[in-house]
Amino acid sequence: MMMMGETWSQLGSLIATAMFLWAMFDKYFPYQLRGPILTYSKKLASFVYPYIQIKFQEFTGEYLKRNEAYAAIETYLSNKSSAEARSLKAVVVRDSNQPVQLSMDENEEVTDEFEGIKVWWTAKSITPRTQSNPFYPETEEKRYYKLTFHKSHREILCGKYINHVLQEGKAITVRNRQRKLCINNPSQNWGGYKSRKWSHVTFEHPASFDTLAMESKKKEEIINDLIKFSQGKEYYAKIGKAWKRGYLLYGPPGTGKSSMIAAMANFMNYDIYDLELTTVKDNTELRRLLIETTSKSIIVIEDIDCSLDLTGQRKKKKEQVNDEEKKDPASKMAKGEEESNSKVTLSGLLNFIDGLWSACGGERIIVFTTNYVEKLDPALIRRGRMDKHIEMSYCGFEAFKVLAKNYLNIDSHPLFMTIGHLLEETNITPADVAENLMPKSLYDDAETCLKKLIEAIKTAKEEAIKKAEEEARLKAEKEEKEKQETTQEDVKVDESSAKEVKENGVEVVIEDKTLAKEINENGVTA
């Protein structure tokens, strides 16, 4: 017992002596000589301590910008910290589904394993002695993560492991982030403190490919295309193309184009940038907006045929409006014509989609929607710009079954056969089908809603027949009118081609030139 007490006493004296010597060294030893001494002392210690340490500071650079590596490591270690560390701290994360993230407190340590190699992560902090720059004050403490591992694994851990940690931390941040639905602000609002080119709200649309009213084969094709794109970073770099893909959604109103975009965003876990072209003044502003978009996003231009007059810019310009409309803009507005000050050109939009500026950032999807695909300039929708064309058509029987499952939670019913036959004969949009399938009261059951849908399809069929008959009647009337106008023009031509004969001061008009006879020398008509 006496020996143990003496041992601890000697050890305490040794530690106290070492601390005293270090304090004297740190306070009085010349600064110029400290570096070489510390360097050689570390080399000496490496013979008995075969471990390597790497520090990842929280803030770097002149203006104390937060280090992205530190944030990625903090996110990566979050699960391990909450499971192993005893002392934790809560970190508030903005724009995340998990606003509070747990991380280990200072001087806590957790272990990790990579390819059978064990490593140690430690959270540390240093309190600065003085404030060096009053204009850019330092934080109260400098936090950092310290990675410790055996020197025999240096090559693997310094390369593959650190890259794995950073990539996985960023991926977790993306998965946990609160996705956004953004709209571009008018350029006059871009100036000023904290002003932004895009405003956003939280994207919470519940649409998915499971609830989308579309044939399963078509949905599977789109899903496979999206997966292939998301995994194609190296492939796009190999072939020398920007990592982006264009989709053209076309079809009548109510066929689910907006729902398709929401389903794509939810499937890919992407943000949506809804670009309103009419508020963009020129091509320069368009490029600036593109630069402000982030990767893992869908850039949407809805109703591209109505956004701007882009379809006729390779043709002759339209004739100028008459003076009355110039003087009276109210009459122009009354006709439903809105004047746009935007000077975005077709070439500027093409450069936005497929030019040099499209390569500023990666993993972006560009989506155009239109009700009238034939109005669009072929250069705008060719392959390579709009890589995949998706027709959003009228509701078929397979799409109807998806809606019946969504709204009524049924997979089959005796009325399905009747509805299937009616859908083969009638064009009705998925939006109209969904509206009739939705129960309107507590007493509406599945059969009631299906019967209501049958009546709606029959009504749509009758209206389609009446519309076709009316169009046929108008076409016949137009053809008859054109025929009559042609006949009248022929009569006028015949009358104008009649000849006039003057002889001995007497004028004779010959109406039928086929029966006209020559005038004899004595002025008598034979």
Side-chain angles (χ1 to χ4, degrees):
M1 194 71 175
M2 183 69 67
M3 291 291 294
M4 183 65 70
E6 291 178 358
T7 302
W8 282 109
S9 177
Q10 292 175 1
L11 182 61
S13 300
L14 183 63
I15 294 174
T17 302
M19 293 179 64
F20 174 76
L21 293 175
W22 174 256
M24 297 299 293
F25 172 82
D26 187 46
K27 188 172 183 180
Y28 296 108
F29 204 79
Y31 180 78
Q32 294 80 0
L33 299 178
R34 291 184 189 180
I37 292 176
L38 291 175
T39 300
Y40 285 109
S41 63
K42 287 181 180 180
K43 287 183 178 181
L44 181 63
S46 64
F47 289 104
V48 295
Y49 185 76
Y51 289 94
I52 296 175
Q53 297 178 342
I54 302 177
K55 292 182 180 180
F56 297 88
Q57 303 283 351
E58 181 179 14
F59 293 96
T60 58
E62 182 180 358
Y63 298 103
L64 299 179
K65 182 179 179 181
R66 198 164 196 262
N67 190 0
E68 293 183 2
Y70 181 92
I73 293 169
E74 189 173 49
T75 303
Y76 174 80
L77 296 175
S78 176
N79 293 335
K80 294 184 178 296
S81 300
S82 58
E84 299 180 17
R86 293 186 178 182
S87 180
L88 299 169
K89 62 180 179 181
V91 179
V92 178
V93 183
R94 296 182 57 187
D95 299 328
S96 174
N97 292 326
Q98 299 177 353
V100 176
Q101 176 179 290
L102 296 178
S103 63
M104 55 183 174
D105 204 355
E106 280 72 21
N107 301 317
E108 282 288 320
E109 183 180 89
V110 296
T111 59
D112 192 20
E113 189 171 327
F114 182 75
E115 296 185 359
I117 303 172
K118 190 175 182 180
V119 299
W120 295 266
W121 286 98
T122 310
K124 293 286 186 178
S125 64
I126 300 175
T127 303
R129 296 178 180 177
T130 58
Q131 184 171 299
S132 58
N133 192 339
F135 296 100
Y136 297 101
E138 297 184 7
T139 55
E140 295 181 358
E141 56 185 4
K142 290 183 177 181
R143 292 187 290 266
Y144 62 91
Y145 281 107
K146 183 174 68 175
L147 172 63
T148 305
F149 56 89
H150 197 278
K151 64 181 180 181
S152 61
H153 306 302
R154 183 186 192 116
E155 184 176 352
I156 295 177
L157 295 179
C158 289
K160 294 172 63 177
Y161 176 67
I162 292 178
N163 184 61
H164 163 74
V165 170
L166 298 182
Q167 294 297 328
E168 186 63 22
K170 292 178 181 179
I172 294 172
T173 302
V174 171
R175 288 196 297 267
N176 293 338
R177 83 188 193 282
Q178 198 172 61
R179 289 184 296 118
K180 302 173 183 177
L181 174 61
C182 307
I183 185 70
N184 54 302
N185 296 321
S187 57
Q188 57 266 28
N189 298 337
W190 290 2
Y193 180 63
K194 288 187 177 182
S195 60
R196 296 185 178 182
K197 297 178 179 63
W198 295 91
S199 298
H200 72 270
V201 295
T202 303
F203 180 71
E204 297 177 337
H205 201 292
S208 67
F209 280 103
D210 292 333
T211 61
L212 199 62
M214 180 181 286
E215 294 80 2
S216 57
K217 185 177 180 181
K218 199 170 183 178
K219 285 195 285 189
E220 184 178 355
E221 180 184 343
I222 297 169
I223 290 173
N224 290 336
D225 190 79
L226 291 171
I227 294 174
K228 183 68 175 177
F229 168 75
S230 66
Q231 299 174 350
K233 181 178 182 180
E234 294 180 359
Y235 177 76
Y236 276 84
K238 177 183 175 182
I239 63 177
K241 290 187 64 176
W243 191 14
K244 65 171 187 60
R245 190 153 179 82
Y247 287 82
L248 174 66
L249 308 182
Y250 65 95
T255 51
K257 293 184 285 293
S258 297
S259 298
M260 169 63 77
I261 296 170
M264 292 169 64
N266 286 327
F267 180 78
M268 300 289 283
N269 201 23
Y270 281 8
D271 295 326
I272 294 181
Y273 288 86
D274 186 9
L275 179 59
E276 179 57 55
L277 280 179
T278 56
T279 64
V280 183
K281 286 186 177 180
D282 50 35
N283 297 334
T284 301
E285 287 189 2
L286 188 63
R287 289 192 291 267
R288 292 175 68 184
L289 285 169
L290 176 64
I291 294 173
E292 290 292 324
T293 61
T294 61
S295 60
K296 295 185 179 294
S297 61
I298 300 177
I299 302 173
V300 180
I301 303 180
E302 292 195 276
D303 297 323
I304 183 66
D305 54 301
C306 302
S307 296
L308 289 175
D309 185 19
L310 297 170
T311 57
Q313 293 194 21
R314 293 195 175 189
K315 304 174 184 178
K316 293 182 179 180
K317 292 184 178 180
K318 296 181 178 179
E319 296 181 358
Q320 298 293 329
V321 294
N322 55 42
D323 295 337
E324 183 179 352
E325 288 182 339
K326 288 182 179 180
K327 295 178 181 179
D328 187 12
S331 63
K332 186 176 181 180
M333 294 177 63
K335 295 179 182 179
E337 300 178 0
E338 296 181 0
E339 184 176 359
S340 174
N341 293 324
S342 178
K343 295 181 181 179
V344 175
T345 63
L346 179 61
S347 61
L349 187 59
L350 295 182
N351 192 27
F352 173 86
I353 301 169
D354 195 34
L356 295 175
W357 289 93
S358 66
C360 298
E363 200 171 359
R364 289 186 177 93
I365 293 176
I366 301 174
V367 178
F368 288 169
T369 71
T370 180
N371 297 333
Y372 308 99
V373 66
E374 65 278 0
K375 291 185 178 181
L376 299 181
D377 193 303
L380 188 63
I381 59 175
R382 69 162 175 81
R383 306 293 178 174
R385 287 173 179 151
M386 293 294 104
D387 305 282
K388 192 169 185 61
H389 296 189
I390 303 174
E391 181 180 6
M392 309 297 292
S393 58
Y394 292 103
C395 187
F397 183 62
E398 192 172 352
F400 155 74
K401 289 195 295 184
V402 174
L403 294 173
K405 179 66 176 177
N406 294 343
Y407 287 86
L408 303 177
N409 198 28
I410 57 175
D411 295 313
S412 63
H413 194 276
L415 293 175
F416 274 23
M417 185 176 295
T418 304
I419 294 174
H421 290 313
L422 288 172
L423 289 176
E424 290 177 357
E425 302 170 352
T426 310
N427 288 335
I428 184 170
T429 64
D432 291 331
V433 173
E435 179 61 26
N436 286 282
L437 288 178
M438 182 180 292
K440 300 299 189 298
S441 70
L442 297 175
Y443 306 103
D444 287 349
D445 56 7
E447 186 170 352
T448 302
C449 295
L450 292 174
K451 289 180 178 179
K452 184 170 58 176
L453 174 61
I454 291 174
E455 293 300 321
I457 298 176
K458 289 180 178 178
T459 302
K461 182 179 180 180
E462 293 174 358
E463 291 178 352
I465 293 173
K466 291 180 180 179
K467 184 178 180 181
E469 292 176 349
E470 180 67 17
E471 289 178 352
R473 185 184 64 81
L474 294 174
K475 183 178 180 181
E477 290 180 354
K478 183 179 180 181
E479 291 177 352
E480 182 64 25
K481 185 177 179 181
E482 291 176 351
K483 185 178 179 180
Q484 291 177 0
E485 291 176 350
T486 303
T487 304
Q488 292 177 358
E489 289 178 358
D490 291 342
V491 171
K492 290 180 180 179
V493 170
D494 290 343
E495 290 178 351
S496 63
S497 63
K499 297 179 180 179
E500 296 180 353
V501 181
K502 293 184 179 180
E503 185 67 27
N504 297 329
V506 180
E507 180 179 325
V508 180
V509 179
I510 303 175
E511 296 181 354
D512 190 350
K513 59 183 179 180
T514 60
L515 299 178
K517 297 181 179 180
E518 296 180 353
I519 306 302
N520 58 16
E521 295 180 354
N522 298 324
V524 180
T525 303

